[in-house]
Coordinates of all heavy atoms in Angstrom, one line a residue:
M12 N 21.7 12.7 -1.9 CA 20.3 12.8 -1.5 C 20.2 11.9 -0.2 O 20.6 10.8 -0.1 CB 19.5 12.1 -2.6 CG 18.8 13.0 -3.6 SD 17.7 14.2 -2.9 CE 18.2 15.6 -4.0
A13 N 19.4 12.4 0.7 CA 19.2 11.7 1.9 C 18.0 10.7 1.7 O 17.1 10.9 1.0 CB 18.8 12.7 3.0
D14 N 18.1 9.6 2.4 CA 17.1 8.5 2.3 C 15.7 8.9 2.9 O 14.7 8.2 2.7 CB 17.6 7.2 2.8 CG 18.4 6.4 1.8 OD1 18.4 6.8 0.6 OD2 19.0 5.4 2.2
E15 N 15.7 10.0 3.8 CA 14.5 10.3 4.4 C 13.4 10.8 3.4 O 12.2 10.8 3.7 CB 14.7 11.4 5.5 CG 15.1 12.8 4.9 CD 16.5 13.2 5.2 OE1 17.3 12.4 5.7 OE2 16.8 14.4 5.0
N16 N 13.8 11.1 2.2 CA 12.8 11.5 1.2 C 12.4 10.3 0.3 O 11.6 10.5 -0.6 CB 13.4 12.6 0.3 CG 13.7 13.9 1.0 OD1 13.0 14.2 1.9 ND2 14.8 14.5 0.7
K17 N 13.0 9.2 0.6 CA 12.7 8.0 -0.2 C 11.3 7.4 0.1 O 11.0 7.2 1.3 CB 13.8 6.9 0.0 CG 13.7 5.7 -0.8 CD 14.9 4.9 -0.6 CE 15.0 3.7 -1.6 NZ 16.2 2.9 -1.3
V18 N 10.5 7.1 -0.9 CA 9.2 6.4 -0.7 C 9.5 4.9 -0.9 O 10.1 4.5 -1.8 CB 8.2 6.9 -1.7 CG1 6.9 6.1 -1.6 CG2 7.9 8.4 -1.5
I19 N 9.0 4.1 0.0 CA 9.1 2.7 0.0 C 7.8 2.0 -0.1 O 6.9 2.4 0.7 CB 9.9 2.1 1.1 CG1 11.4 2.7 1.1 CG2 10.0 0.6 1.1 CD1 12.2 2.3 2.3
I20 N 7.6 1.1 -1.0 CA 6.3 0.4 -1.1 C 6.7 -1.1 -0.9 O 7.4 -1.7 -1.7 CB 5.6 0.6 -2.5 CG1 5.3 2.0 -2.7 CG2 4.3 -0.3 -2.5 CD1 4.8 2.4 -4.1
K21 N 6.2 -1.7 0.1 CA 6.6 -3.1 0.5 C 5.4 -4.0 0.2 O 4.2 -3.7 0.6 CB 6.9 -3.2 1.9 CG 7.3 -4.6 2.3 CD 7.6 -4.7 3.8 CE 7.9 -6.2 4.2 NZ 8.0 -6.3 5.6
V22 N 5.6 -5.0 -0.6 CA 4.5 -6.0 -0.9 C 4.6 -7.0 0.2 O 5.5 -7.9 0.3 CB 4.8 -6.7 -2.3 CG1 3.7 -7.7 -2.6 CG2 4.9 -5.7 -3.4
N23 N 3.6 -6.9 1.1 CA 3.5 -7.9 2.2 C 2.9 -9.2 1.8 O 2.0 -9.3 1.0 CB 2.6 -7.3 3.3 CG 3.2 -6.1 4.0 OD1 4.4 -6.1 4.4 ND2 2.4 -5.1 4.3
D24 N 3.6 -10.3 2.3 CA 3.1 -11.6 1.9 C 1.6 -11.8 2.4 O 1.3 -11.4 3.5 CB 3.9 -12.7 2.7 CG 5.3 -12.8 2.1 OD1 5.6 -12.3 1.0 OD2 6.1 -13.6 2.7
N25 N 0.8 -12.2 1.4 CA -0.6 -12.5 1.7 C -1.4 -11.3 2.2 O -2.3 -11.5 3.0 CB -0.8 -13.7 2.6 CG 0.0 -14.9 2.1 OD1 0.0 -15.2 1.0 ND2 0.8 -15.5 3.0
G26 N -0.9 -10.1 1.9 CA -1.6 -8.9 2.4 C -1.4 -7.7 1.6 O -1.4 -7.7 0.4
S27 N -1.3 -6.6 2.3 CA -1.4 -5.2 1.6 C -0.1 -4.8 1.0 O 1.0 -5.4 1.1 CB -1.8 -4.2 2.7 OG -0.7 -4.1 3.7
L28 N -0.2 -3.6 0.4 CA 1.0 -2.9 -0.1 C 1.2 -1.8 1.0 O 0.4 -0.9 1.2 CB 0.8 -2.2 -1.4 CG 0.5 -3.1 -2.6 CD1 0.1 -2.4 -3.8 CD2 1.8 -3.9 -2.9
R29 N 2.4 -1.8 1.7 CA 2.7 -0.9 2.8 C 3.5 0.3 2.2 O 4.5 0.0 1.6 CB 3.4 -1.5 3.9 CG 3.7 -0.6 5.1 CD 2.4 -0.3 5.8 NE 2.7 0.5 7.0 CZ 1.8 1.1 7.7 NH1 0.5 1.0 7.3 NH2 2.1 1.8 8.7
V30 N 3.0 1.5 2.3 CA 3.6 2.6 1.7 C 4.1 3.5 2.8 O 3.4 3.9 3.7 CB 2.6 3.5 0.8 CG1 3.3 4.7 0.2 CG2 1.9 2.6 -0.3
T31 N 5.4 3.8 2.8 CA 6.0 4.7 3.8 C 6.8 5.8 3.0 O 7.4 5.6 2.0 CB 7.0 4.0 4.7 OG1 8.0 3.3 4.0 CG2 6.2 3.0 5.6
G32 N 6.7 7.0 3.6 CA 7.3 8.2 3.0 C 6.3 9.2 2.6 O 5.1 8.9 2.6
V33 N 6.7 10.3 2.1 CA 5.8 11.4 1.7 C 5.4 11.2 0.3 O 6.2 11.2 -0.6 CB 6.5 12.8 1.9 CG1 5.6 13.9 1.4 CG2 7.0 13.0 3.3
V34 N 4.1 10.9 0.1 CA 3.6 10.6 -1.2 C 2.2 11.2 -1.3 O 1.5 11.2 -0.3 CB 3.6 9.1 -1.5 CG1 2.8 8.3 -0.5 CG2 3.2 8.8 -2.9
E35 N 1.8 11.6 -2.5 CA 0.4 12.0 -2.7 C -0.4 10.9 -3.3 O 0.1 10.4 -4.4 CB 0.3 13.3 -3.5 CG -1.1 13.9 -3.6 CD -1.1 15.2 -4.3 OE1 -0.1 15.6 -5.0 OE2 -2.1 15.9 -4.2
L36 N -1.5 10.5 -2.8 CA -2.4 9.5 -3.3 C -3.6 10.2 -3.8 O -4.3 10.8 -3.1 CB -2.7 8.4 -2.3 CG -3.6 7.3 -2.7 CD1 -2.9 6.4 -3.8 CD2 -4.0 6.4 -1.5
V37 N -3.9 10.1 -5.1 CA -5.1 10.7 -5.7 C -6.0 9.7 -6.4 O -5.5 8.7 -6.8 CB -4.6 11.8 -6.7 CG1 -3.8 12.9 -6.0 CG2 -3.9 11.3 -7.9
D38 N -7.3 10.1 -6.6 CA -8.2 9.2 -7.3 C -8.1 9.5 -8.8 O -7.3 10.3 -9.2 CB -9.6 9.4 -6.8 CG -10.2 10.8 -7.0 OD1 -9.7 11.6 -7.8 OD2 -11.3 11.1 -6.4
A39 N -9.0 8.9 -9.6 CA -8.9 9.0 -11.0 C -9.1 10.4 -11.5 O -8.7 10.8 -12.6 CB -9.9 8.1 -11.7
E40 N -9.8 11.3 -10.7 CA -10.0 12.7 -11.1 C -9.0 13.6 -10.5 O -9.1 14.8 -10.7 CB -11.4 13.1 -10.6 CG -12.5 12.3 -11.3 CD -13.9 12.6 -10.8 OE1 -14.0 13.4 -9.7 OE2 -14.9 12.2 -11.4
G41 N -8.0 13.1 -9.8 CA -6.9 13.9 -9.3 C -7.2 14.4 -7.9 O -6.4 15.2 -7.3
N42 N -8.3 14.0 -7.3 CA -8.6 14.4 -5.9 C -7.8 13.6 -4.9 O -7.7 12.4 -5.0 CB -10.1 14.2 -5.6 CG -11.0 14.9 -6.6 OD1 -10.8 16.1 -6.8 ND2 -11.9 14.2 -7.2
P43 N -7.1 14.3 -3.9 CA -6.3 13.6 -3.0 C -7.1 12.9 -1.9 O -8.1 13.3 -1.4 CB -5.4 14.7 -2.4 CG -6.3 16.0 -2.5 CD -7.1 15.8 -3.8
F44 N -6.6 11.7 -1.6 CA -7.1 10.9 -0.4 C -6.3 11.5 0.8 O -5.1 11.8 0.7 CB -6.8 9.4 -0.6 CG -7.6 8.7 -1.6 CD1 -7.1 8.5 -2.8 CD2 -8.9 8.2 -1.2 CE1 -7.9 7.8 -3.8 CE2 -9.6 7.5 -2.1 CZ -9.2 7.3 -3.4
E45 N -7.0 11.5 1.9 CA -6.4 11.9 3.2 C -5.7 10.6 3.7 O -6.3 9.6 3.8 CB -7.4 12.5 4.2 CG -7.9 13.8 3.8 CD -8.8 14.4 4.9 OE1 -8.6 14.1 6.1 OE2 -9.6 15.2 4.5
H46 N -4.5 10.7 4.1 CA -3.8 9.6 4.7 C -2.6 10.1 5.5 O -2.2 11.2 5.4 CB -3.3 8.6 3.6 CG -2.3 9.3 2.6 ND1 -1.0 9.4 2.9 CD2 -2.5 9.8 1.4 CE1 -0.4 10.0 1.9 NE2 -1.3 10.2 0.9
K47 N -2.0 9.1 6.3 CA -0.9 9.4 7.1 C 0.4 9.2 6.2 O 0.3 8.7 5.1 CB -0.8 8.5 8.3 CG -2.0 8.8 9.2 CD -2.0 7.9 10.4 CE -3.2 8.2 11.3 NZ -3.4 7.3 12.4
E48 N 1.6 9.5 6.8 CA 2.8 9.3 6.0 C 3.1 7.8 5.8 O 3.8 7.5 4.8 CB 4.0 9.9 6.8 CG 5.2 10.0 5.9 CD 6.3 10.8 6.5 OE1 6.0 11.9 7.0 OE2 7.4 10.4 6.5
A49 N 2.5 6.9 6.6 CA 2.6 5.5 6.3 C 1.2 4.9 6.3 O 0.4 5.2 7.1 CB 3.4 4.8 7.4
F50 N 0.9 4.1 5.2 CA -0.4 3.6 5.1 C -0.3 2.3 4.3 O 0.7 2.0 3.6 CB -1.4 4.6 4.5 CG -1.0 5.1 3.1 CD1 -1.4 4.5 2.0 CD2 -0.1 6.2 3.0 CE1 -1.0 5.0 0.7 CE2 0.3 6.7 1.8 CZ -0.2 6.1 0.6
S51 N -1.4 1.5 4.3 CA -1.5 0.3 3.5 C -2.6 0.3 2.5 O -3.7 0.7 2.8 CB -1.7 -0.9 4.5 OG -0.6 -1.1 5.4
L52 N -2.2 -0.1 1.3 CA -3.2 -0.2 0.2 C -3.7 -1.6 0.0 O -2.9 -2.6 0.1 CB -2.6 0.3 -1.1 CG -2.2 1.8 -1.1 CD1 -1.4 2.1 -2.4 CD2 -3.4 2.6 -1.0
C53 N -5.0 -1.8 -0.2 CA -5.6 -3.1 -0.5 C -5.0 -3.8 -1.7 O -4.9 -3.1 -2.7 CB -7.1 -3.0 -0.6 SG -7.9 -4.5 -0.9
R54 N -4.7 -5.0 -1.6 CA -4.2 -5.8 -2.7 C -5.1 -7.0 -3.0 O -5.1 -7.5 -4.1 CB -2.8 -6.3 -2.4 CG -2.0 -6.8 -3.6 CD -0.5 -6.9 -3.3 NE -0.1 -7.8 -2.3 CZ 0.4 -9.0 -2.5 NH1 0.5 -9.5 -3.7 NH2 0.7 -9.8 -1.5
C55 N -6.0 -7.3 -2.1 CA -6.9 -8.5 -2.3 C -8.2 -8.1 -3.0 O -8.8 -9.0 -3.6 CB -7.2 -9.1 -1.0 SG -8.3 -8.2 0.1
G56 N -8.5 -6.8 -3.0 CA -9.7 -6.4 -3.6 C -11.0 -6.5 -2.8 O -12.1 -6.1 -3.2
A57 N -10.9 -6.9 -1.5 CA -12.1 -7.1 -0.7 C -12.2 -6.1 0.4 O -13.2 -6.2 1.2 CB -12.0 -8.5 -0.1
S58 N -11.4 -5.1 0.5 CA -11.5 -4.1 1.6 C -12.8 -3.3 1.4 O -13.2 -3.0 0.3 CB -10.3 -3.2 1.5 OG -10.4 -2.1 2.4
A59 N -13.4 -3.0 2.6 CA -14.5 -2.1 2.6 C -14.1 -0.6 2.6 O -14.9 0.2 2.6 CB -15.4 -2.4 3.8
N60 N -12.8 -0.4 2.6 CA -12.3 1.0 2.7 C -11.3 1.2 1.6 O -10.2 1.9 1.8 CB -11.6 1.1 4.1 CG -11.2 2.6 4.4 OD1 -11.9 3.5 4.0 ND2 -10.2 2.8 5.1
K61 N -11.6 0.8 0.4 CA -10.7 0.9 -0.7 C -10.4 2.4 -1.0 O -11.2 3.2 -0.8 CB -11.3 0.3 -2.0 CG -11.3 -1.2 -2.0 CD -11.9 -1.7 -3.3 CE -12.3 -3.1 -3.3 NZ -13.6 -3.4 -2.7
P62 N -9.2 2.7 -1.3 CA -8.1 1.9 -1.7 C -7.2 1.4 -0.6 O -6.3 0.7 -0.7 CB -7.2 2.8 -2.6 CG -7.3 4.1 -2.0 CD -8.8 4.2 -1.5
F63 N -7.6 1.7 0.7 CA -6.9 1.3 1.8 C -7.2 -0.1 2.3 O -8.3 -0.6 2.2 CB -7.1 2.3 3.0 CG -6.7 3.7 2.6 CD1 -7.7 4.7 2.2 CD2 -5.4 4.1 2.4 CE1 -7.4 6.0 1.9 CE2 -5.1 5.4 2.1 CZ -6.1 6.3 1.8
C64 N -6.2 -0.7 2.9 CA -6.4 -2.1 3.5 C -7.2 -2.0 4.8 O -6.9 -1.1 5.6 CB -5.1 -2.7 3.7 SG -5.1 -4.3 4.5
D65 N -8.1 -2.9 5.0 CA -8.8 -2.9 6.3 C -8.6 -4.3 7.0 O -9.3 -4.6 8.0 CB -10.3 -2.6 6.1 CG -11.1 -3.7 5.3 OD1 -10.5 -4.7 4.9 OD2 -12.3 -3.5 5.1
G66 N -7.7 -5.1 6.5 CA -7.4 -6.4 7.1 C -8.3 -7.5 6.6 O -8.1 -8.7 7.0
T67 N -9.2 -7.3 5.7 CA -10.1 -8.4 5.2 C -9.3 -9.5 4.6 O -9.8 -10.7 4.6 CB -11.1 -7.8 4.2 OG1 -11.9 -6.8 4.8 CG2 -12.0 -8.9 3.6
H68 N -8.1 -9.3 4.0 CA -7.3 -10.3 3.4 C -7.1 -11.5 4.3 O -7.0 -12.6 3.9 CB -6.0 -9.8 2.9 CG -5.1 -9.2 3.9 ND1 -5.2 -7.8 4.3 CD2 -4.2 -9.7 4.7 CE1 -4.4 -7.6 5.3 NE2 -3.7 -8.7 5.6
K69 N -7.1 -11.2 5.6 CA -6.8 -12.3 6.6 C -8.0 -13.2 6.7 O -7.8 -14.5 6.8 CB -6.6 -11.7 8.0 CG -5.3 -10.9 8.1 CD -5.2 -10.2 9.4 CE -4.1 -9.1 9.4 NZ -4.1 -8.3 10.6
S70 N -9.2 -12.7 6.6 CA -10.4 -13.6 6.7 C -10.8 -14.3 5.5 O -11.6 -15.2 5.5 CB -11.6 -12.7 7.3 OG -12.0 -11.7 6.4
I71 N -10.4 -13.8 4.3 CA -10.7 -14.4 3.0 C -9.7 -15.4 2.5 O -9.9 -16.0 1.5 CB -11.1 -13.4 2.0 CG1 -9.9 -12.5 1.6 CG2 -12.3 -12.5 2.4 CD1 -10.1 -11.7 0.3
G72 N -8.6 -15.4 3.2 CA -7.5 -16.4 2.8 C -6.7 -15.9 1.6 O -6.3 -16.7 0.8
F73 N -6.5 -14.6 1.4 CA -5.8 -14.1 0.3 C -4.4 -14.7 0.3 O -3.7 -14.7 1.3 CB -5.7 -12.5 0.4 CG -4.9 -11.9 -0.7 CD1 -5.4 -11.9 -2.0 CD2 -3.7 -11.2 -0.5 CE1 -4.7 -11.3 -3.1 CE2 -3.0 -10.6 -1.5 CZ -3.5 -10.7 -2.8
D74 N -3.9 -15.2 -0.8 CA -2.7 -15.9 -0.9 C -1.8 -15.3 -2.1 O -2.2 -15.6 -3.2 CB -2.9 -17.4 -1.1 CG -1.7 -18.2 -1.2 OD1 -0.6 -17.8 -0.6 OD2 -1.7 -19.3 -1.8
S75 N -0.8 -14.5 -1.8 CA 0.1 -14.0 -2.8 C 1.4 -13.5 -2.1 O 1.3 -12.7 -1.2 CB -0.6 -12.8 -3.5 OG 0.3 -12.3 -4.4
A76 N 2.5 -14.1 -2.5 CA 3.8 -13.7 -1.9 C 4.8 -13.6 -3.0 O 5.8 -14.4 -3.1 CB 4.2 -14.8 -0.9
P77 N 4.7 -12.6 -3.9 CA 5.6 -12.5 -5.0 C 7.0 -12.0 -4.5 O 7.1 -11.4 -3.5 CB 5.0 -11.4 -5.9 CG 4.1 -10.6 -5.0 CD 3.6 -11.6 -4.0
R78 N 8.0 -12.4 -5.3 CA 9.4 -12.0 -4.9 C 9.9 -11.3 -6.1 O 9.7 -11.6 -7.3 CB 10.2 -13.2 -4.6 CG 9.9 -13.9 -3.3 CD 10.1 -13.0 -2.1 NE 9.8 -13.6 -0.9 CZ 8.7 -13.5 -0.2 NH1 7.7 -12.7 -0.7 NH2 8.5 -14.1 1.0
A79 N 10.7 -10.2 -5.9 CA 11.4 -9.5 -6.9 C 12.5 -10.4 -7.5 O 13.2 -11.1 -6.8 CB 12.0 -8.2 -6.3
K80 N 12.7 -10.3 -8.8 CA 13.7 -11.0 -9.5 C 15.0 -10.3 -9.2 O 15.2 -9.1 -9.3 CB 13.5 -11.1 -11.0 CG 12.2 -11.9 -11.3 CD 12.0 -12.0 -12.8 CE 10.8 -12.9 -13.0 NZ 10.3 -12.9 -14.3
Q81 N 16.0 -11.1 -8.9 CA 17.4 -10.6 -8.6 C 18.1 -10.5 -9.9 O 18.1 -11.3 -10.8 CB 18.1 -11.6 -7.7 CG 17.4 -11.8 -6.3 CD 17.3 -10.5 -5.6 OE1 18.2 -9.7 -5.4 NE2 16.1 -10.2 -5.0
A82 N 18.8 -9.4 -10.1 CA 19.6 -9.1 -11.3 C 20.8 -9.9 -11.4 O 21.4 -10.4 -10.5 CB 19.9 -7.6 -11.4

Protein backbone atom coordinates (compact mmCIF):
# COMPACT_ATOMS: atom_id res chain seq x y z
CA MET A 1 0.00 0.00 0.00
CA ALA A 2 1.26 3.46 -0.85
CA ASP A 3 1.47 6.09 1.89
CA GLU A 4 -0.31 8.68 -0.29
CA ASN A 5 -3.60 7.16 0.91
CA LYS A 6 -2.62 7.47 4.55
CA VAL A 7 -4.55 9.91 6.74
CA ILE A 8 -2.46 11.63 9.41
CA ILE A 9 -3.88 13.50 12.40
CA LYS A 10 -1.24 15.54 14.21
CA VAL A 11 -1.90 16.88 17.71
CA ASN A 12 -0.29 20.33 17.62
CA ASP A 13 1.17 21.60 20.89
CA ASN A 14 -1.21 24.13 22.43
CA GLY A 15 -3.34 24.12 19.29
CA SER A 16 -5.41 22.25 16.78
CA LEU A 17 -5.64 18.75 15.37
CA ARG A 18 -4.12 18.95 11.87
CA VAL A 19 -5.70 16.45 9.48
CA THR A 20 -3.99 15.61 6.19
CA GLY A 21 -5.13 13.10 3.62
CA VAL A 22 -8.40 12.18 1.99
CA VAL A 23 -11.02 11.89 4.72
CA GLU A 24 -14.74 12.56 5.00
CA LEU A 25 -15.80 14.73 7.94
CA VAL A 26 -19.51 14.48 8.80
CA ASP A 27 -21.78 15.97 11.46
CA ALA A 28 -23.95 13.96 13.90
CA GLU A 29 -26.59 13.48 11.20
CA GLY A 30 -24.09 12.27 8.60
CA ASN A 31 -24.02 15.50 6.60
CA PRO A 32 -20.56 16.19 5.16
CA PHE A 33 -18.60 19.32 6.01
CA GLU A 34 -16.88 21.01 3.07
CA HIS A 35 -13.13 21.09 3.58
CA LYS A 36 -9.81 20.85 1.81
CA GLU A 37 -7.57 17.78 1.83
CA ALA A 38 -5.65 19.31 4.76
CA PHE A 39 -7.50 21.12 7.55
CA SER A 40 -7.34 21.82 11.28
CA LEU A 41 -9.92 20.84 13.87
CA CYS A 42 -10.52 22.89 17.02
CA ARG A 43 -9.21 21.32 20.20
CA CYS A 44 -9.63 24.24 22.62
CA GLY A 45 -13.42 24.55 22.22
CA ALA A 46 -13.36 28.30 21.61
CA SER A 47 -13.38 28.48 17.80
CA ALA A 48 -16.15 30.51 16.20
CA ASN A 49 -15.94 28.16 13.21
CA LYS A 50 -16.37 24.76 14.88
CA PRO A 51 -15.43 22.05 14.21
CA PHE A 52 -12.60 23.88 12.41
CA CYS A 53 -9.83 25.80 14.13
CA ASP A 54 -9.82 29.57 13.69
CA GLY A 55 -6.70 30.28 15.76
CA THR A 56 -8.55 31.39 18.91
CA HIS A 57 -6.41 29.00 20.98
CA LYS A 58 -3.55 31.52 20.65
CA SER A 59 -5.47 34.37 22.26
CA ILE A 60 -7.02 32.35 25.10
CA GLY A 61 -3.78 30.68 26.19
CA PHE A 62 -4.84 27.11 25.44
CA ASP A 63 -2.24 24.81 27.00
CA SER A 64 -2.03 21.15 26.02
CA ALA A 65 0.93 19.22 24.64
CA PRO A 66 0.20 15.49 25.06
CA ARG A 67 2.72 12.91 23.90
CA ALA A 68 2.04 9.41 22.60
CA LYS A 69 3.30 6.65 24.87
CA GLN A 70 6.16 4.70 23.37
CA ALA A 71 5.73 0.94 23.25
